[in-house]
Amino acid sequence: MENRYFLIAILAAATLLFSCSKEMSREGDGTLPPTSTCDYAPYTNHSSFSYMNVNSAKDTIKYTFTVSGDTTINGNVYKIVGNDSVFTCSNCKDGIYTQVASILTFQGYSADDLRLTYLKDNVAAGTTWRDTITVNNGGASTSGILEFTVTQKDVTKTVNGKDYAQVIAVRMDAYALVLNNPVAVGTISTSYYGKGIGLIEADQLHDTTTILSYTLQP
């Protein structure tokens, strides 16, 4: 049971990262999805995105992520997005946005190369997909499932007094695998992505992250 609660913490921490991966979750009935230009991750070199995080105690942290260039993982090229404290990156192909958290740790537990498919911009509201992750503590491993659901599509959302159009909302629910059976942990976050911008808001149980400003470079 202790492993389950550490897994919850790992999953919660994962929602703060926007990074990269070559792996994809798959679902569907065999029909081809609409064409996508990956406008929900416009991470051109030297573009920057400033955010504010406010927790339930009203503590506030402001930070800026900058796109600093490219990195290659297993032969695939990804954009590096981050600051001096956090290494992140981003990849999108055919409307499927993937991410990896490099060495995510919490109280002795770690998840190396945590690969997630965090957004699909070419599917309808109500679409769901899953990723399986594993966290380790010494020789002990704990597995879990992240389930992503598009809850809203092409809506307008107001963040810090500014309206953002063509927003996609994605809810992330977590399940711990106990004796190979999924046990619901609950909703970890709901994230909102604006077209031509990327992440504009992420709501978690005890804190909310919102975009303050952004600068896109050609």
Side-chain angles (χ1 to χ4, degrees):
M1 188 62 66
E2 178 185 13
N3 284 356
R4 177 184 172 188
Y5 293 113
F6 280 114
L7 176 64
I8 295 170
I10 286 286
L11 299 180
T15 65
L16 301 180
L17 301 172
F18 342 107
S19 6
C20 53
S21 170
K22 65 182 180 65
E23 296 187 355
M24 301 178 184
S25 297
R26 304 180 185 276
E27 89 294 319
D29 55 6
T31 59
L32 293 176
T35 303
S36 168
T37 55
C38 292
D39 291 331
Y40 290 83
Y43 298 143
T44 53
N45 288 349
H46 309 299
S47 293
S48 61
F49 306 83
S50 295
Y51 293 93
M52 174 174 63
N53 178 268
V54 181
N55 65 20
S56 55
K58 304 301 181 183
D59 297 324
T60 301
I61 299 175
K62 296 180 181 180
Y63 55 91
T64 298
F65 286 150
T66 300
V67 183
S68 59
D70 299 337
T71 185
T72 301
I73 301 176
N74 294 330
N76 297 296
V77 179
Y78 307 98
K79 289 296 182 181
I80 302 171
V81 185
N83 57 25
D84 292 338
S85 301
V86 180
F87 171 83
T88 59
C89 54
S90 177
N91 176 268
C92 173
K93 182 178 181 181
D94 299 329
I96 300 177
Y97 300 73
T98 52
Q99 62 183 20
V100 61
S102 297
I103 315 178
L104 178 64
T105 61
F106 182 84
Q107 294 188 10
Y109 280 73
S110 66
D112 298 340
D113 277 351
L114 178 59
R115 293 177 174 86
L116 304 175
T117 303
Y118 68 93
L119 173 64
K120 297 184 179 184
D121 72 16
N122 54 6
V123 298
T127 300
T128 296
W129 63 94
R130 285 183 169 190
D131 283 324
T132 301
I133 70 167
T134 301
V135 297
N136 304 288
N137 185 359
S141 295
T142 303
S143 295
I145 294 171
L146 292 180
E147 181 178 86
F148 299 85
T149 303
V150 176
T151 58
Q152 294 177 293
K153 185 79 179 286
D154 295 331
V155 299
T156 297
K157 184 172 179 59
T158 302
V159 179
N160 291 323
K162 182 176 180 179
D163 290 338
Y164 295 89
Q166 294 181 279
V167 171
I168 302 174
V170 180
R171 188 184 70 236
M172 182 171 70
D173 298 307
Y175 297 82
L177 288 175
V178 179
L179 300 177
N180 293 322
N181 296 311
V183 177
V185 172
T187 297
I188 301 300
S189 69
T190 299
S191 297
Y192 300 85
Y193 302 92
K195 188 173 184 178
I197 304 165
L199 181 72
I200 60 171
E201 180 172 324
D203 299 332
Q204 299 184 95
L205 180 62
H206 298 296
D207 65 276
T208 296
T209 298
T210 55
I211 194 166
L212 295 173
S213 62
Y214 61 95
T215 301
L216 300 180
Q217 300 296 336

